[in-house]
Amino acid sequence: MSKFELKLPRMGESVAEATLTTWLKEVGDTIEMDDPVFEIATDKVDSEVPSEVEGILKEKLFDIDDIIKVGETVAIIEIEGGVNGAETVNKSTEVSKETVAAVAETISIAKEASSSPLQDYSDTERFYSPLVKNIAKEEGISIAILDTIEGTGKGGRVTKNDILAFIKNGKVSGSVVTPETKRTVVEPVSIVDENKAVDTPIVANANKPTNDQVSTMSPSGSDEVIEMSRMGKLIAKHMVDSVSTSAHVQSFIEVDVTNVVNWRMKMKDTFEKMEGEKLTFTPIFMEAVAKALKKYPMMNISVDGDKVIKKKNINIGMAAALPDGNLIVPVIKNADRLNLVGMAKVVNDLARRSRENGLKPDEIQEGTYTVTNVGTFGSVFGTPIINQPQVGILALGAIRKMPAVIETPEGDFIGIRSKMYISHSYDHRVVNGALGSMFAKAVADYLEAWDINREL
């Protein structure tokens, strides 16, 4: 018998760690190759981690809600015979030492800081682990402040990493901010970047309520209180962070897509017979956006502090609604290199696996621009929020038949045309009105000039 280390796999360049959310196997269970053993979650997606070997689960090295770094051993599987790369290890002691060292360091830092009298942490309805309570006591964090910390654990529980992050970011002049502290504090706003996390401090008055404070609203007896899902909380935070980070400006353009509608109607059956895929409007719009990004590369950028990063690849995020009401943005990598058939296949595949919760972590990373189709739900246009650290997002409105003036050499006529609005939100810190409008106009021009005789 030998033992195999099941490690947390690499999940994209910008993903360094993940949270263990569920164990799908118990110690002693027989595991087949490719059987999912546990589930992990990043700030973008939940994913199952399969076994690379057949065997019996002998040991779990992490608990639910633990933070695991990429490459760390999560479980030990006993296998028959020798396998290349298999190692006999016991990491539990090492993990324990690392945990003890981290806590010891935290306590040591706390002793150097001025602290408040110990609090009675039993006087709260919120659950806190003994470790979190001990760290809070050593740091002099009152129960009122502790209750305001946003938890990332299961059910919103505050984890060790949550309180350590609060301590690191919430100290001013070596002491923890309390409700009685009358001064200005610096609160970090985390800007989510597929490539890099940037902490931008925002100065706020301690006397004023902040977004992190607990709501005092009390629901009546007939109201239903619904806990936000983990993904819902993350999406909410990202949206608020984006609005507070970027100076959002919108441009709106009406587009005549009659040629596009007629061409798709003519080609959709042929396309499905040839490729086994449905031809929707989405790949056509994505092709138009990719060409516009190629024409205006300064829309294909990101912001890192006071620096602008011009992206080499055109990776278009495609916002997709999930059955549970949440939103996910799979990314079409190198969209400008795909022909229409390739674009349709990628779009359909990503959309299907989004609904089935089957996306891989690296398939929602490294987007450089985002498109959202609000017309799916009947909206004529919208004002979408930028997906940080990108600088633009395009909303596609519903296609409607409308009376319109048609200009011909023989004169102007009134006719029925298929039209839609596209709404372009962009970051006015780095994109001026001219560029933002010209980009949207380029998308519109490409769609209006669609060749009705185009071949697949």
Side-chain angles (χ1 to χ4, degrees):
M1 292 288 185
S2 57
K3 296 181 180 179
F4 179 83
E5 293 183 343
L6 181 59
K7 301 177 183 290
L8 182 65
R10 187 171 179 269
M11 301 173 294
E13 292 182 5
S14 65
V15 179
E17 62 184 22
T19 302
L20 177 62
T21 57
T22 307
W23 278 105
L24 302 175
K25 299 290 184 180
E26 298 298 329
V27 172
D29 286 356
T30 300
I31 299 174
E32 302 294 331
M33 185 174 294
D34 292 329
D35 273 359
V37 180
F38 58 90
E39 289 183 351
I40 54 95
T42 68
D43 63 348
K44 295 284 187 178
V45 71
D46 296 346
S47 181
E48 295 179 344
V49 176
S51 173
E52 303 170 39
V53 297
E54 296 179 359
I56 297 174
L57 181 60
K58 299 298 292 183
E59 189 176 358
K60 300 176 180 178
L61 301 182
F62 289 91
D63 295 325
I64 291 176
D65 289 338
D66 283 350
I67 306 296
I68 308 171
K69 295 189 180 301
V70 170
E72 283 190 318
T73 301
V74 184
I76 302 296
I77 300 174
E78 188 175 70
I79 57 178
E80 292 187 5
V83 176
N84 290 337
E87 299 175 307
T88 302
V89 295
N90 187 337
K91 295 276 186 173
S92 58
T93 303
E94 180 181 338
V95 173
S96 298
K97 288 180 179 179
E98 291 176 355
T99 304
V100 171
V103 175
E105 182 181 356
T106 302
I107 295 174
S108 175
I109 294 172
K111 288 180 178 178
E112 296 175 2
S114 59
S115 60
S116 303
L118 295 181
Q119 303 286 328
D120 180 9
Y121 292 93
S122 62
D123 188 23
T124 178
E125 296 181 357
R126 194 178 187 187
F127 172 80
Y128 298 102
S129 68
L131 176 58
V132 170
K133 288 181 180 180
N134 287 337
I135 295 174
K137 289 179 181 179
E138 292 293 337
E139 289 288 346
I141 299 175
S142 69
I143 190 65
I145 293 296
L146 190 60
D147 282 342
T148 67
I149 299 176
E150 182 179 354
T152 60
K154 190 172 183 180
R157 181 154 54 90
V158 175
T159 65
K160 181 190 75 173
N161 285 11
D162 294 332
I163 192 168
L164 291 180
F166 176 82
I167 292 168
K168 178 182 177 182
N169 297 324
K171 282 187 173 183
V172 178
S173 303
S175 62
V176 177
V177 178
T178 64
E180 293 78 19
T181 306
K182 307 296 183 181
R183 61 168 173 263
T184 299
V185 298
V186 176
E187 299 178 346
V189 172
S190 296
I191 304 171
V192 177
D193 186 342
E194 282 108 351
N195 301 309
K196 183 177 179 181
V198 182
D199 286 334
T200 304
I202 294 181
V203 178
N205 192 294
N207 297 324
K208 294 182 179 180
T210 67
N211 290 335
D212 291 333
Q213 292 178 329
V214 177
S215 172
T216 58
M217 181 181 297
S218 299
S220 67
S222 60
D223 294 337
E224 180 184 4
V225 179
I226 302 174
E227 181 73 20
M228 291 177 67
S229 67
R230 175 185 172 278
M231 182 176 286
K233 291 177 183 178
L234 289 169
I235 292 172
K237 185 178 186 304
H238 293 174
M239 296 299 97
V240 172
D241 287 348
S242 181
V243 170
S244 64
T245 298
S246 296
H248 282 64
V249 175
Q250 284 82 28
S251 294
F252 307 92
I253 294 184
E254 187 179 46
V255 189
D256 188 330
V257 290
T258 304
N259 286 352
V260 172
V261 171
N262 291 340
W263 179 84
R264 175 184 170 272
M265 185 64 66
K266 181 177 71 172
M267 301 299 295
K268 65 178 184 178
D269 291 338
T270 301
F271 185 89
E272 188 167 4
K273 289 178 182 177
M274 289 175 53
E275 305 297 336
E277 300 276 353
K278 290 187 179 297
L279 179 61
T280 66
F281 288 109
T282 302
I284 299 172
F285 295 142
M286 292 298 180
E287 182 177 273
V289 171
K291 290 185 178 295
L293 288 171
K294 197 109 177 158
K295 183 175 182 180
Y296 294 104
M298 287 308 292
M299 283 304 311
N300 197 53
I301 64 175
S302 65
V303 180
D304 182 0
D306 57 357
K307 297 181 178 64
V308 171
I309 301 172
K310 189 176 180 181
K311 300 292 185 178
K312 179 180 180 181
N313 296 330
I314 294 176
N315 301 333
I316 303 177
M318 179 182 71
L322 299 177
D324 62 1
N326 285 316
L327 185 72
I328 198 165
V329 186
V331 177
I332 303 169
K333 303 290 179 68
N334 299 309
D336 57 316
R337 302 179 190 176
L338 297 173
N339 60 19
L340 190 59
V341 173
M343 185 77 79
K345 288 181 177 291
V346 172
V347 165
N348 290 345
D349 175 59
L350 291 175
R352 182 182 66 256
R353 289 192 291 115
S354 294
R355 293 189 295 269
E356 297 171 353
N357 196 28
L359 292 173
K360 299 175 183 177
D362 60 353
E363 290 177 321
I364 53 172
Q365 305 290 330
E366 301 175 1
T368 61
Y369 188 86
T370 300
V371 176
T372 179
N373 190 354
V374 298
T376 301
F377 310 103
S379 295
V380 178
F381 53 78
T383 55
I385 297 175
I386 296 168
N387 187 13
Q388 298 295 323
Q390 299 168 19
V391 299
I393 179 171
L394 193 74
L396 306 172
I399 298 175
R400 302 177 299 159
K401 289 185 177 180
M402 302 175 64
V405 175
I406 303 171
E407 296 179 355
T408 70
E410 291 76 26
D412 295 343
F413 299 91
I414 300 294
I416 303 300
R417 307 291 289 178
S418 294
K419 292 199 170 189
M420 65 180 292
Y421 285 98
I422 58 176
S423 314
H424 187 209
S425 292
Y426 47 95
D427 189 344
H428 210 20
R429 296 178 302 165
V430 290
V431 179
N432 59 32
L435 175 58
S437 297
M438 287 190 297
F439 173 83
K441 185 65 164 56
V443 175
D445 289 344
Y446 183 80
L447 293 173
E448 290 186 342
W450 191 266
D451 183 3
I452 192 69
N453 297 313
R454 176 174 173 169
E455 298 293 332
L456 288 173

